[in-house]
Protein backbone atom coordinates (compact mmCIF):
# COMPACT_ATOMS: atom_id res chain seq x y z
CA UNK A 1 0.00 0.00 0.00
CA UNK A 2 1.29 3.39 -0.99
CA UNK A 3 1.96 5.81 1.87
CA UNK A 4 3.05 9.42 2.23
CA UNK A 5 6.48 8.49 3.60
CA UNK A 6 7.30 6.78 0.27
CA UNK A 7 7.64 10.31 -1.13
CA UNK A 8 10.23 11.34 1.48
CA UNK A 9 9.91 13.50 4.57
CA UNK A 10 10.25 16.82 2.73
CA UNK A 11 7.39 16.18 0.33
CA UNK A 12 4.60 18.76 0.69
CA UNK A 13 1.01 17.55 1.05
CA UNK A 14 -1.83 19.98 0.65
CA UNK A 15 -5.43 20.47 -0.28
CA UNK A 16 -6.60 23.14 -2.70
CA UNK A 17 -9.61 25.46 -2.96
CA UNK A 18 -10.62 28.68 -4.73
CA UNK A 19 -12.41 31.76 -3.39
CA UNK A 20 -15.38 31.93 -5.75
CA UNK A 21 -16.13 28.24 -5.33
CA UNK A 22 -16.39 28.31 -1.55
CA UNK A 23 -16.59 31.74 0.05
CA UNK A 24 -20.16 32.92 -0.50
CA UNK A 25 -20.98 36.46 0.79
CA UNK A 26 -20.57 37.57 -2.81
CA UNK A 27 -22.00 41.03 -2.23
CA UNK A 28 -21.31 41.45 1.46
CA UNK A 29 -18.54 42.93 3.58
CA UNK A 30 -17.60 45.43 0.91
CA UNK A 31 -16.92 42.90 -1.86
CA UNK A 32 -17.56 44.11 -5.40
CA UNK A 33 -19.15 41.85 -8.01
CA UNK A 34 -16.98 39.47 -9.98
CA UNK A 35 -17.65 38.12 -13.47
CA UNK A 36 -18.85 34.88 -11.89
CA UNK A 37 -21.47 36.74 -9.85
CA UNK A 38 -22.74 38.33 -13.05
CA UNK A 39 -22.55 35.12 -15.08
CA UNK A 40 -24.35 32.94 -12.54
CA UNK A 41 -27.14 35.52 -12.20
CA UNK A 42 -28.11 34.86 -15.83
CA UNK A 43 -30.53 32.06 -16.56
CA UNK A 44 -29.29 28.99 -18.37
CA UNK A 45 -25.57 29.47 -17.84
CA UNK A 46 -25.14 27.07 -14.94
CA UNK A 47 -26.51 23.55 -14.68
CA UNK A 48 -29.85 23.63 -12.86
CA UNK A 49 -29.41 27.41 -12.65
CA UNK A 50 -27.50 27.12 -9.38
CA UNK A 51 -26.52 30.47 -7.95
CA UNK A 52 -23.09 31.13 -6.51
CA UNK A 53 -24.09 32.44 -3.12
CA UNK A 54 -23.70 31.17 -0.38
CA UNK A 55 -21.58 28.34 -1.87
CA UNK A 56 -19.95 26.72 1.19
CA UNK A 57 -20.19 29.90 3.27
CA UNK A 58 -16.47 29.58 3.86
CA UNK A 59 -16.31 33.31 4.65
CA UNK A 60 -18.07 32.64 7.94
CA UNK A 61 -16.83 29.09 8.49
CA UNK A 62 -13.15 29.37 7.59
CA UNK A 63 -11.98 28.44 11.08
CA UNK A 64 -14.02 25.24 11.02
CA UNK A 65 -12.67 24.44 7.54
CA UNK A 66 -9.04 25.09 8.45
CA UNK A 67 -9.63 22.73 11.38
CA UNK A 68 -10.75 20.12 8.83
CA UNK A 69 -7.58 20.61 6.79
CA UNK A 70 -5.62 19.93 9.95
CA UNK A 71 -7.75 16.98 11.00
CA UNK A 72 -7.21 15.32 7.62
CA UNK A 73 -3.47 15.71 8.17
CA UNK A 74 -2.54 18.15 5.40
CA UNK A 75 0.13 20.71 6.18
CA UNK A 76 -0.61 23.02 3.25
CA UNK A 77 -3.83 24.84 2.45
CA UNK A 78 -4.15 26.41 -0.98
CA UNK A 79 -6.77 29.13 -1.34
CA UNK A 80 -7.24 32.14 -3.57
CA UNK A 81 -7.86 35.80 -2.89
CA UNK A 82 -11.00 37.24 -4.45
CA UNK A 83 -9.70 40.29 -6.29
CA UNK A 84 -13.01 42.17 -5.91
CA UNK A 85 -13.02 41.57 -2.16
CA UNK A 86 -9.77 43.53 -1.94
CA UNK A 87 -10.54 46.01 -4.72
CA UNK A 88 -14.31 46.17 -5.27
CA UNK A 89 -13.84 48.11 -8.51
CA UNK A 90 -10.82 46.12 -9.63
CA UNK A 91 -8.48 49.04 -8.90
CA UNK A 92 -8.41 52.10 -6.69
CA UNK A 93 -10.10 52.01 -3.33
CA UNK A 94 -9.14 49.12 -1.07
CA UNK A 95 -11.79 47.31 0.98
CA UNK A 96 -10.32 46.99 4.47
CA UNK A 97 -12.81 44.29 5.49
CA UNK A 98 -11.54 42.16 2.64
CA UNK A 99 -7.94 42.75 3.66
CA UNK A 100 -8.83 41.73 7.21
CA UNK A 101 -10.61 38.58 6.12
CA UNK A 102 -7.52 37.13 4.45
CA UNK A 103 -5.34 38.18 7.40
CA UNK A 104 -7.67 36.23 9.65
CA UNK A 105 -7.60 33.23 7.34
CA UNK A 106 -3.81 33.29 7.08
CA UNK A 107 -3.47 33.65 10.85
CA UNK A 108 -5.87 30.74 11.37
CA UNK A 109 -3.71 28.57 9.10
CA UNK A 110 -0.46 29.60 10.74
CA UNK A 111 -1.69 29.11 14.28
CA UNK A 112 -2.74 25.58 13.28
CA UNK A 113 0.64 24.76 11.77
CA UNK A 114 -0.71 24.92 8.21
CA UNK A 115 1.27 26.67 5.49
CA UNK A 116 -0.84 28.84 3.19
CA UNK A 117 -0.30 28.80 -0.58
CA UNK A 118 -2.11 31.77 -2.06
CA UNK A 119 -3.43 31.88 -5.62
CA UNK A 120 -3.76 35.45 -6.83
CA UNK A 121 -6.14 34.81 -9.69
CA UNK A 122 -8.56 31.90 -9.72
CA UNK A 123 -11.00 33.16 -12.37
CA UNK A 124 -13.08 35.71 -10.43
CA UNK A 125 -12.24 38.92 -12.27
CA UNK A 126 -13.85 42.07 -10.86
CA UNK A 127 -16.87 42.88 -13.02
CA UNK A 128 -15.76 46.52 -13.15
CA UNK A 129 -12.68 45.44 -15.11
CA UNK A 130 -14.69 43.16 -17.37
CA UNK A 131 -16.77 46.22 -18.23
CA UNK A 132 -13.56 47.65 -19.74
CA UNK A 133 -12.97 44.46 -21.74
CA UNK A 134 -11.53 42.23 -19.00
CA UNK A 135 -8.64 40.06 -20.14
CA UNK A 136 -9.09 41.26 -23.72
CA UNK A 137 -8.11 44.79 -22.76
CA UNK A 138 -4.50 45.89 -22.33
CA UNK A 139 -5.61 47.94 -19.29
CA UNK A 140 -5.96 44.68 -17.36
CA UNK A 141 -2.20 44.36 -16.89
CA UNK A 142 -1.70 47.54 -14.87
CA UNK A 143 -4.75 46.68 -12.77
CA UNK A 144 -3.54 43.13 -12.10
CA UNK A 145 -0.04 44.31 -11.24
CA UNK A 146 -1.44 46.80 -8.73
CA UNK A 147 -3.56 44.05 -7.15
CA UNK A 148 -0.54 41.75 -6.89
CA UNK A 149 1.47 44.54 -5.25
CA UNK A 150 -1.21 45.21 -2.66
CA UNK A 151 -1.43 41.52 -1.74
CA UNK A 152 2.34 41.13 -1.63
CA UNK A 153 2.83 44.14 0.62
CA UNK A 154 -0.08 43.23 2.85
CA UNK A 155 0.56 39.51 3.33
CA UNK A 156 4.14 38.97 2.18
CA UNK A 157 5.59 38.93 5.69
CA UNK A 158 3.41 36.00 6.67
CA UNK A 159 2.97 34.14 3.39
CA UNK A 160 5.93 32.98 1.33
CA UNK A 161 4.24 30.61 -1.13
CA UNK A 162 2.43 32.22 -4.02
CA UNK A 163 0.70 31.09 -7.20
CA UNK A 164 0.16 33.83 -9.76
CA UNK A 165 -2.55 32.36 -11.99
CA UNK A 166 -4.81 29.36 -11.95
CA UNK A 167 -5.08 27.52 -15.26
CA UNK A 168 -4.70 30.34 -17.79
CA UNK A 169 -5.81 28.08 -20.64
CA UNK A 170 -8.91 27.17 -18.63
CA UNK A 171 -10.28 30.67 -18.27
CA UNK A 172 -9.13 32.09 -21.60
CA UNK A 173 -10.60 29.19 -23.58
CA UNK A 174 -13.79 28.53 -21.63
CA UNK A 175 -14.47 32.18 -20.78
CA UNK A 176 -13.20 34.08 -23.82
CA UNK A 177 -13.40 31.60 -26.68
CA UNK A 178 -16.17 29.09 -25.99
CA UNK A 179 -18.32 31.28 -23.76
CA UNK A 180 -19.28 28.49 -21.36
CA UNK A 181 -17.59 30.13 -18.39
CA UNK A 182 -17.65 33.75 -17.23
CA UNK A 183 -17.60 36.26 -18.82
CA UNK A 184 -19.20 34.22 -21.63
CA UNK A 185 -17.30 35.74 -24.54
CA UNK A 186 -16.60 33.84 -27.73
CA UNK A 187 -14.33 33.74 -30.74
CA UNK A 188 -10.68 34.19 -31.58
CA UNK A 189 -10.95 37.98 -31.49
CA UNK A 190 -11.56 37.70 -27.75
CA UNK A 191 -9.41 34.65 -27.10
CA UNK A 192 -6.14 35.93 -28.56
CA UNK A 193 -5.95 39.26 -26.72
CA UNK A 194 -6.99 37.44 -23.53
CA UNK A 195 -4.14 34.96 -24.08
CA UNK A 196 -1.62 37.72 -24.61
CA UNK A 197 -2.59 39.78 -21.55
CA UNK A 198 -2.73 36.63 -19.45
CA UNK A 199 0.78 35.58 -20.49
CA UNK A 200 2.02 39.05 -19.56
CA UNK A 201 0.19 39.00 -16.22
CA UNK A 202 1.64 35.61 -15.38
CA UNK A 203 5.25 36.81 -15.73
CA UNK A 204 4.75 40.31 -14.39
CA UNK A 205 2.90 38.99 -11.36
CA UNK A 206 5.89 36.75 -10.65
CA UNK A 207 8.31 39.64 -10.99
CA UNK A 208 6.32 41.82 -8.59
CA UNK A 209 6.18 39.06 -5.98
CA UNK A 210 9.93 38.58 -6.36
CA UNK A 211 10.58 42.29 -5.84
CA UNK A 212 8.21 42.76 -2.91
CA UNK A 213 8.63 39.60 -0.84
CA UNK A 214 11.87 38.34 0.56
CA UNK A 215 12.41 34.58 0.29
CA UNK A 216 9.22 34.10 -1.71
CA UNK A 217 8.52 30.75 -3.34
CA UNK A 218 6.73 31.71 -6.54
CA UNK A 219 4.79 29.48 -8.87
CA UNK A 220 1.97 29.49 -11.33
CA UNK A 221 -0.31 26.69 -12.47
CA UNK A 222 -1.18 25.05 -15.77
CA UNK A 223 -3.99 22.71 -16.66
CA UNK A 224 -2.51 19.84 -18.64
CA UNK A 225 -3.62 16.62 -20.29
CA UNK A 226 -1.76 14.05 -22.28
CA UNK A 227 -3.10 14.30 -25.82
CA UNK A 228 -3.47 10.92 -27.49
CA UNK A 229 -4.22 10.63 -31.22
CA UNK A 230 -7.18 8.33 -31.90
CA UNK A 231 -5.25 6.57 -34.67
CA UNK A 232 -1.76 6.95 -36.07
CA UNK A 233 -3.12 8.50 -39.28
CA UNK A 234 -1.42 11.73 -40.38
CA UNK A 235 -4.60 13.71 -39.85
CA UNK A 236 -5.18 12.41 -36.31
CA UNK A 237 -1.53 13.01 -35.46
CA UNK A 238 -1.84 16.60 -36.69
CA UNK A 239 -5.07 17.09 -34.73
CA UNK A 240 -3.35 15.81 -31.58
CA UNK A 241 -0.43 18.14 -32.13
CA UNK A 242 -2.69 21.15 -32.42
CA UNK A 243 -4.63 20.31 -29.28
CA UNK A 244 -1.37 19.74 -27.43
CA UNK A 245 -0.09 23.13 -28.58
CA UNK A 246 -3.16 24.91 -27.27
CA UNK A 247 -3.83 22.96 -24.10
CA UNK A 248 -0.32 22.19 -22.87
CA UNK A 249 2.18 24.53 -24.50
CA UNK A 250 0.47 27.87 -24.98
CA UNK A 251 1.16 29.34 -21.55
CA UNK A 252 4.25 27.56 -20.27
CA UNK A 253 6.44 28.34 -23.26
CA UNK A 254 6.25 32.14 -22.88
CA UNK A 255 7.43 31.77 -19.25
CA UNK A 256 10.45 29.87 -20.52
CA UNK A 257 11.44 32.70 -22.86
CA UNK A 258 10.27 30.71 -25.90
CA UNK A 259 7.38 32.97 -26.83
CA UNK A 260 4.10 31.42 -27.98
CA UNK A 261 4.31 28.06 -29.77
CA UNK A 262 3.19 29.41 -33.11
CA UNK A 263 5.36 27.45 -35.55
CA UNK A 264 3.60 25.53 -38.32
CA UNK A 265 0.12 26.66 -37.46
CA UNK A 266 -1.19 29.52 -39.57
CA UNK A 267 -3.82 30.56 -37.00
CA UNK A 268 -1.24 31.07 -34.27
CA UNK A 269 1.27 32.61 -36.66
CA UNK A 270 -1.34 35.18 -37.57
CA UNK A 271 -1.94 35.89 -33.89
CA UNK A 272 1.78 36.39 -33.38
CA UNK A 273 2.01 38.84 -36.26
CA UNK A 274 -1.18 40.74 -35.46
CA UNK A 275 -0.20 41.35 -31.85
CA UNK A 276 3.56 41.52 -32.34
CA UNK A 277 3.97 39.01 -29.55
CA UNK A 278 7.63 38.23 -30.34
CA UNK A 279 8.48 41.76 -29.19
CA UNK A 280 7.01 40.92 -25.80
CA UNK A 281 8.96 37.70 -25.35
CA UNK A 282 11.17 39.13 -22.62
CA UNK A 283 8.18 40.53 -20.72
CA UNK A 284 6.44 37.15 -20.79
CA UNK A 285 9.43 35.33 -19.33
CA UNK A 286 9.82 34.53 -15.66
CA UNK A 287 11.93 32.08 -13.76
CA UNK A 288 9.29 30.46 -11.54
CA UNK A 289 10.47 28.64 -8.44
CA UNK A 290 7.90 25.97 -9.10
CA UNK A 291 5.53 24.99 -11.86
CA UNK A 292 2.10 23.88 -10.69
CA UNK A 293 0.55 21.12 -12.77
CA UNK A 294 -3.16 20.36 -12.61
CA UNK A 295 -4.16 17.12 -14.22
CA UNK A 296 -7.33 15.10 -14.20
CA UNK A 297 -7.56 13.14 -17.48
CA UNK A 298 -6.01 12.54 -20.90
CA UNK A 299 -7.73 13.53 -24.12
CA UNK A 300 -8.08 11.26 -27.12
CA UNK A 301 -8.51 13.33 -30.27
CA UNK A 302 -9.48 12.69 -33.84
CA UNK A 303 -9.26 14.87 -36.93
CA UNK A 304 -12.52 16.56 -37.86
CA UNK A 305 -12.61 19.05 -40.71
CA UNK A 306 -15.89 20.56 -39.53
CA UNK A 307 -14.49 21.94 -36.29
CA UNK A 308 -13.28 25.45 -36.94
CA UNK A 309 -9.66 26.41 -36.25
CA UNK A 310 -8.50 23.34 -34.41
CA UNK A 311 -10.05 20.69 -36.68
CA UNK A 312 -10.00 18.19 -33.88
CA UNK A 313 -12.67 16.37 -31.94
CA UNK A 314 -12.51 14.64 -28.58
CA UNK A 315 -13.45 10.97 -28.52
CA UNK A 316 -14.98 10.69 -25.06
CA UNK A 317 -13.95 8.05 -22.54
CA UNK A 318 -17.49 6.73 -22.38
CA UNK A 319 -17.68 6.01 -26.09
CA UNK A 320 -14.30 4.28 -25.88
CA UNK A 321 -15.63 2.27 -22.93
CA UNK A 322 -12.88 3.50 -20.64
CA UNK A 323 -13.32 4.02 -16.90
CA UNK A 324 -14.33 7.59 -16.13
CA UNK A 325 -15.49 9.83 -13.31
CA UNK A 326 -18.85 11.56 -12.96
CA UNK A 327 -17.51 14.37 -15.15
CA UNK A 328 -16.96 11.82 -17.94
CA UNK A 329 -13.20 12.29 -17.51
CA UNK A 330 -11.09 9.23 -18.25
CA UNK A 331 -9.26 7.67 -15.32
CA UNK A 332 -5.81 6.99 -16.65
CA UNK A 333 -2.87 7.34 -14.29
CA UNK A 334 -0.32 6.53 -17.01
CA UNK A 335 -1.36 9.72 -18.75
CA UNK A 336 -0.68 11.61 -15.50
CA UNK A 337 2.83 10.18 -15.48
CA UNK A 338 3.32 11.02 -19.18
CA UNK A 339 2.19 14.62 -18.90
CA UNK A 340 4.43 15.22 -15.89
CA UNK A 341 7.34 13.97 -17.97
CA UNK A 342 6.35 16.23 -20.85
CA UNK A 343 6.47 19.34 -18.64
CA UNK A 344 9.61 18.22 -16.79
CA UNK A 345 11.43 18.12 -20.15
CA UNK A 346 11.51 21.93 -20.40
CA UNK A 347 15.07 22.77 -19.36
CA UNK A 348 14.01 25.64 -17.08
CA UNK A 349 11.36 23.73 -15.18
CA UNK A 350 13.22 23.12 -11.97
CA UNK A 351 10.54 22.05 -9.64
CA UNK A 352 7.08 20.62 -10.20
CA UNK A 353 4.23 20.66 -7.75
CA UNK A 354 0.93 19.02 -8.48
CA UNK A 355 -1.36 21.85 -7.49
CA UNK A 356 -4.62 20.04 -8.31
CA UNK A 357 -5.72 16.46 -8.92
CA UNK A 358 -8.90 14.70 -7.90
CA UNK A 359 -12.18 13.21 -9.05
CA UNK A 360 -15.92 13.92 -8.96
CA UNK A 361 -18.42 11.20 -8.16
CA UNK A 362 -22.12 11.04 -7.38
CA UNK A 363 -21.58 10.82 -3.64
CA UNK A 364 -24.46 10.03 -1.34
CA UNK A 365 -24.70 10.30 2.41
CA UNK A 366 -26.11 7.24 4.05
CA UNK A 367 -26.36 6.88 7.82
CA UNK A 368 -23.95 9.80 8.14
CA UNK A 369 -21.31 8.14 5.92
CA UNK A 370 -20.08 8.85 2.42
CA UNK A 371 -18.50 5.67 1.13
CA UNK A 372 -16.58 6.99 -1.89
CA UNK A 373 -14.45 3.98 -2.69
CA UNK A 374 -14.02 5.06 -6.32
CA UNK A 375 -12.38 8.32 -5.29
CA UNK A 376 -9.98 6.43 -3.00
CA UNK A 377 -9.09 4.12 -5.88
CA UNK A 378 -8.50 7.15 -8.11
CA UNK A 379 -6.09 8.74 -5.62
CA UNK A 380 -4.24 5.45 -5.11
CA UNK A 381 -3.69 5.05 -8.84
CA UNK A 382 -2.64 8.63 -9.48
CA UNK A 383 -0.32 8.73 -6.48
CA UNK A 384 1.41 5.57 -7.66
CA UNK A 385 2.02 7.20 -11.04
CA UNK A 386 3.34 10.30 -9.29
CA UNK A 387 5.70 8.22 -7.18
CA UNK A 388 6.98 6.46 -10.29
CA UNK A 389 7.79 9.82 -11.93
CA UNK A 390 9.46 11.05 -8.74
CA UNK A 391 11.55 7.90 -8.39
CA UNK A 392 12.78 8.37 -11.93
CA UNK A 393 14.38 11.59 -10.80
CA UNK A 394 11.84 14.27 -11.71
CA UNK A 395 11.95 16.98 -9.09
CA UNK A 396 8.38 16.77 -7.84
CA UNK A 397 8.11 18.44 -4.47
CA UNK A 398 4.46 18.43 -3.57
CA UNK A 399 0.91 17.36 -4.25
CA UNK A 400 -2.38 19.09 -3.52
CA UNK A 401 -5.66 17.23 -3.70
CA UNK A 402 -8.64 18.92 -5.30
CA UNK A 403 -10.56 19.70 -3.14
CA UNK A 404 -11.28 20.14 0.54
CA UNK A 405 -15.07 20.06 0.30
CA UNK A 406 -17.77 19.82 -2.35
CA UNK A 407 -18.21 23.28 -3.78
CA UNK A 408 -19.38 25.36 -6.72
CA UNK A 409 -17.97 23.61 -9.78
CA UNK A 410 -18.34 26.51 -12.22
CA UNK A 411 -20.74 25.70 -15.09
CA UNK A 412 -21.64 22.43 -13.33
CA UNK A 413 -22.94 24.33 -10.30
CA UNK A 414 -23.18 22.23 -7.17
CA UNK A 415 -23.78 19.09 -9.21
CA UNK A 416 -20.19 17.85 -9.38
CA UNK A 417 -18.75 16.76 -6.06
CA UNK A 418 -14.95 16.73 -5.88
CA UNK A 419 -14.53 17.12 -2.10
CA UNK A 420 -12.82 14.97 0.48
CA UNK A 421 -15.51 16.40 2.70
CA UNK A 422 -19.19 16.29 1.74
CA UNK A 423 -21.09 19.58 1.80
CA UNK A 424 -24.84 19.54 2.34
CA UNK A 425 -25.80 22.58 0.27
CA UNK A 426 -29.03 23.10 2.25
CA UNK A 427 -27.64 23.00 5.76
CA UNK A 428 -23.96 23.59 4.83
CA UNK A 429 -23.03 20.76 7.16
CA UNK A 430 -19.65 19.19 6.41
CA UNK A 431 -19.19 15.41 6.62
CA UNK A 432 -15.82 13.81 6.07
CA UNK A 433 -16.02 11.22 3.29
CA UNK A 434 -14.24 7.89 3.42
CA UNK A 435 -11.67 9.40 1.04
CA UNK A 436 -10.99 12.08 3.66
CA UNK A 437 -10.33 9.38 6.23
CA UNK A 438 -8.22 7.55 3.66
CA UNK A 439 -6.04 10.69 3.34
CA UNK A 440 -5.82 10.92 7.11
CA UNK A 441 -4.39 7.41 7.26
CA UNK A 442 -2.20 7.90 4.19
CA UNK A 443 -0.59 11.00 5.67
CA UNK A 444 0.09 9.39 9.05
CA UNK A 445 2.70 6.99 7.73
C1 LIG B 1 -9.71 23.22 -12.37
C2 LIG B 1 -9.95 24.46 -11.55
O1 LIG B 1 -8.79 25.10 -11.17
C3 LIG B 1 -10.85 24.23 -10.37
O2 LIG B 1 -11.38 25.45 -10.00
C4 LIG B 1 -11.91 23.19 -10.71
O3 LIG B 1 -12.90 23.10 -9.75
C5 LIG B 1 -11.22 21.87 -10.90
N1 LIG B 1 -10.16 21.98 -11.88
C6 LIG B 1 -12.15 20.71 -11.25
O4 LIG B 1 -12.76 20.97 -12.47
Amino acid sequence: MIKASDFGSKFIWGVATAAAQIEGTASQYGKGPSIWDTFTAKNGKIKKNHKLDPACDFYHRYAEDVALVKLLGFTVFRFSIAWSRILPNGRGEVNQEGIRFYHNLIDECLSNGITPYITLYHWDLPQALEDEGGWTSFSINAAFNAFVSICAMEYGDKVKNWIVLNEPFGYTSLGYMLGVHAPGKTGLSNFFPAVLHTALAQAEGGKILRAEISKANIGTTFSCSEIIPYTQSDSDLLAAKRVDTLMNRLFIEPTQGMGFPTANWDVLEKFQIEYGTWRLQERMKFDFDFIGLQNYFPLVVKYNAFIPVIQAWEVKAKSRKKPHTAMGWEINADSFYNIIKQFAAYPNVKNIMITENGAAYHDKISNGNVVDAERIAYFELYLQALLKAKKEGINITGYMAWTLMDNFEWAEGFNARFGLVHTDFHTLKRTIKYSGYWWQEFLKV
Side-chain angles (χ1 to χ4, degrees):
M1 268 270 275
I2 192 162
K3 49 193 186 314
S5 56
D6 295 338
F7 291 78
S9 59
K10 292 207 182 96
F11 200 80
I12 294 156
W13 294 100
V15 67
T17 61
Q21 295 180 271
I22 59 172
E23 280 182 5
T25 65
S27 51
Q28 284 172 272
Y29 308 108
K31 180 179 166 292
S34 84
I35 53 174
W36 274 94
D37 300 323
T38 312
F39 194 68
T40 52
K42 294 180 185 153
N43 267 344
K45 298 290 179 195
I46 309 295
K47 208 185 243 182
K48 298 197 185 152
N49 273 327
H50 284 163
K51 300 289 174 246
L52 230 173
D53 227 357
C56 304
D57 194 33
F58 177 80
Y59 189 92
H60 293 121
R61 297 166 198 242
Y62 70 88
E64 184 191 329
D65 291 333
V66 169
L68 279 170
V69 174
K70 186 175 179 178
L71 185 68
L72 297 184
F74 293 102
T75 50
V76 158
F77 183 44
R78 176 184 168 203
F79 58 87
S80 73
I81 293 183
W83 187 341
S84 64
R85 202 177 279 292
I86 302 293
L87 294 158
N89 298 310
R91 61 163 76 82
E93 205 182 323
V94 173
N95 171 33
Q96 290 306 328
E97 275 190 275
I99 295 278
R100 236 181 354 260
F101 170 67
Y102 294 107
H103 269 302
N104 292 343
L105 173 55
I106 292 164
D107 293 345
E108 190 68 24
C109 289
L110 296 176
S111 65
N112 279 287
I114 289 164
T115 307
Y117 272 61
I118 294 187
T119 313
L120 283 162
Y121 185 71
H122 202 126
W123 303 1
D124 45 355
L125 186 72
Q127 181 60 43
L129 294 176
E130 183 54 40
D131 295 343
E132 297 172 13
W135 286 102
T136 70
S137 162
F138 78 95
S139 64
I140 192 83
N141 286 105
F144 182 67
N145 291 352
F147 166 61
V148 176
S149 251
I150 291 169
C151 294
M153 285 193 290
E154 193 62 48
Y155 306 119
D157 287 345
K158 299 178 186 173
V159 178
K160 297 297 171 192
N161 301 289
W162 294 82
I163 290 169
V164 180
L165 300 181
N166 182 71
E167 295 196 354
F169 182 71
Y171 71 82
T172 53
S173 64
L174 299 171
Y176 287 89
M177 184 163 67
L178 301 173
V180 294
H181 275 193
K185 286 185 169 159
T186 53
L188 291 181
S189 61
N190 285 310
F191 178 62
F192 282 139
V195 166
L196 175 60
H197 301 130
T198 291
L200 289 167
Q202 161 178 273
E204 289 179 346
K207 288 170 196 171
I208 292 166
L209 293 170
R210 182 75 80 229
E212 306 270 9
I213 304 175
S214 69
K215 302 204 178 100
N217 181 34
I218 305 164
T220 198
T221 73
F222 301 107
S223 49
C224 56
S225 282
E226 188 194 5
I227 308 300
I228 304 168
Y230 187 60
T231 70
Q232 290 301 308
S233 71
D234 286 352
S235 52
D236 282 357
L237 287 171
L238 181 65
K241 211 168 152 190
R242 287 185 165 169
V243 177
D244 182 54
T245 303
L246 275 190
M247 290 189 65
N248 295 320
R249 299 175 51 203
L250 192 62
F251 286 100
I252 183 149
E253 295 196 1
T255 69
Q256 308 288 296
M258 300 162 75
F260 289 112
T262 53
N264 303 323
W265 189 356
D266 51 351
V267 176
L268 287 182
E269 276 167 4
K270 196 164 158 258
F271 158 57
Q272 151 127 321
I273 293 164
E274 210 170 301
Y275 293 88
T277 63
W278 72 90
R279 282 188 272 111
L280 301 165
Q281 220 152 292
E282 209 39 50
R283 267 179 73 193
M284 296 191 293
K285 184 176 166 191
F286 184 68
D287 190 17
F288 283 102
D289 298 312
F290 68 93
I291 291 299
L293 296 186
Q294 317 204 145
N295 174 262
Y296 292 85
F297 53 84
L299 279 184
V300 173
V301 301
K302 199 175 166 70
Y303 175 77
N304 185 324
F306 294 106
I307 309 291
V309 186
I310 193 149
Q311 298 193 310
W313 183 251
E314 184 197 350
V315 189
K316 301 261 190 212
K318 202 172 166 194
S319 69
R320 289 180 288 111
K321 303 200 170 30
K322 294 286 180 197
H324 53 271
T325 68
M327 299 289 281
W329 295 349
E330 181 177 342
I331 302 163
N332 179 338
D334 288 342
S335 78
F336 183 39
Y337 166 85
N338 290 339
I339 197 70
I340 293 170
K341 288 197 88 159
Q342 183 173 326
F343 274 76
Y346 288 103
N348 297 327
V349 170
K350 299 173 289 201
N351 172 356
I352 288 177
M353 287 194 76
I354 305 305
T355 39
E356 278 187 31
N357 171 244
Y361 286 104
H362 300 295
D363 302 318
K364 292 267 170 319
I365 287 214
S366 123
N367 300 325
N369 292 320
V370 181
V371 186
D372 54 340
E374 291 168 300
R375 186 174 288 104
I376 296 172
Y378 179 98
F379 282 126
E380 279 179 342
L381 269 179
Y382 273 67
L383 288 171
Q384 265 152 12
L386 184 68
L387 185 58
K388 180 171 162 212
K390 188 173 185 319
K391 280 193 172 153
E392 284 176 14
I394 297 178
N395 192 28
I396 304 164
T397 54
Y399 174 97
M400 300 180 197
W402 185 265
T403 179
L404 178 62
M405 60 203 152
D406 298 334
N407 59 32
F408 181 81
E409 176 58 24
W410 311 114
E412 297 294 313
F414 297 105
N415 304 296
R417 295 181 175 273
F418 277 89
L420 307 180
V421 174
H422 178 276
T423 309
D424 178 323
F425 291 109
H426 298 291
T427 62
L428 298 175
K429 184 177 182 321
R430 278 78 159 138
T431 305
I432 300 177
K433 300 179 190 176
Y434 272 32
S435 60
Y437 292 116
W438 178 88
W439 271 101
Q440 200 180 43
E441 287 308 308
F442 173 85
L443 292 170
K444 268 187 197 150
V445 278

